[in-house]
Amino acid sequence: MTMKIDVIDKLVGIVPGSSLDRVRSNRQQARDNAQLSYEALFEPKSPGTVLIEERYAIAYFVAGLHRDEAIAAFYRESLGHHDRPGLVGAISAEIRRGETSGPYGSYPAGPLSREDKAGLDYVADVANRAVLGRLASALAHAHLLVFRPRDASSAALQALLNAGWSTDDIVTLSQLVAFLSFQIRVVTGLRALAQSEQQSVAAE
């Protein structure tokens, strides 16, 4: 039986027997659960109505917004295996269109209003919408969750429903964005640990 490659190990460059491999093995359940979450989202036995290429397109977009080139490249390549004509190029263009920094947005009127901050209200380029289809609304939702979650509202969810996403689809979309944010944090932390170890060895 072929063993599946652990995606986080692949993204960090962890090899069996290395110090980082041992670090992850110390929390094997968390390691296994992260991989199972990836498989449930990107290799589901029953994908439902959120297509595999839509899942990878959203993942590529979110990784690109986080400006993590390695993770973005991984999902861009994965999307390429399930691509419909022009989709990779359209998502690449939308990543550039959506680049910003956050968080920002507006809290409900009250004590937190002093922390309100204006920022990009992202929408997909009209020129790409024929290729994106309903993904245009999913990208806007992903952008909202990444940069301005304080603006999440029933109106934002209604926009997804109006674009043809079901309530179950919307749960999946939100799970995808949440998983990517988690995965990117883990990969970033493990890379920092690897760099620290390398610097310690060099200093000896």
Side-chain angles (χ1 to χ4, degrees):
M1 186 175 77
T2 303
M3 290 191 63
K4 290 191 176 182
I5 296 173
D6 185 284
V7 173
I8 288 178
D9 285 357
K10 177 181 175 67
L11 292 171
V12 180
I14 297 174
V15 298
S18 66
S19 60
L20 284 183
D21 182 39
R22 292 191 293 272
V23 167
R24 295 207 73 202
S25 294
N26 288 335
R27 299 190 63 190
Q28 191 61 46
Q29 185 174 6
R31 186 182 205 175
D32 292 341
N33 287 341
Q35 179 63 18
L36 288 171
S37 295
Y38 168 84
E39 293 171 10
L41 289 168
F42 296 100
E43 300 173 3
K45 294 179 180 178
S46 300
T49 53
V50 181
L51 304 178
I52 298 299
E53 63 263 30
E54 292 175 326
R55 295 166 186 251
Y56 280 119
I58 293 164
Y60 174 32
F61 181 70
V62 172
L65 293 180
H66 281 83
R67 300 179 185 179
D68 191 301
E69 294 182 6
I71 298 179
F74 172 80
Y75 285 111
R76 181 175 63 244
E77 180 181 357
S78 299
L79 174 59
H81 296 312
H82 302 275
D83 190 21
R84 60 180 182 241
L87 186 55
V88 170
I91 298 296
S92 298
E94 292 305 320
I95 290 170
R96 293 190 293 272
R97 182 177 176 82
E99 286 181 343
T100 186
S101 58
Y104 56 88
S106 300
Y107 289 103
L112 290 176
S113 296
R114 63 178 179 273
E115 297 183 22
D116 288 357
K117 182 179 178 182
L120 173 66
D121 190 358
Y122 164 84
V123 292
D125 192 339
V126 173
N128 289 323
R129 290 184 190 174
V131 174
L132 294 172
R134 68 176 187 167
L135 270 172
S137 62
L139 298 185
H141 183 66
H143 196 279
L144 180 148
L145 294 180
V146 171
F147 290 114
R148 52 188 187 97
R150 66 188 71 168
D151 286 340
S153 64
S154 58
L157 297 179
Q158 188 61 49
L160 291 171
L161 292 170
N162 293 344
W165 300 98
S166 70
T167 52
D168 287 344
D169 294 341
I170 293 170
V171 171
T172 299
L173 296 178
S174 298
Q175 288 174 332
L176 283 164
V177 177
F179 174 75
L180 263 293
S181 297
F182 158 78
Q183 186 184 63
I184 290 168
R185 288 197 303 272
V186 172
V187 170
T188 300
L190 288 170
R191 285 178 185 156
L193 183 57
Q195 184 177 19
S196 177
E197 289 181 350
Q198 291 171 358
Q199 291 172 344
S200 296
V201 171
E204 291 178 356

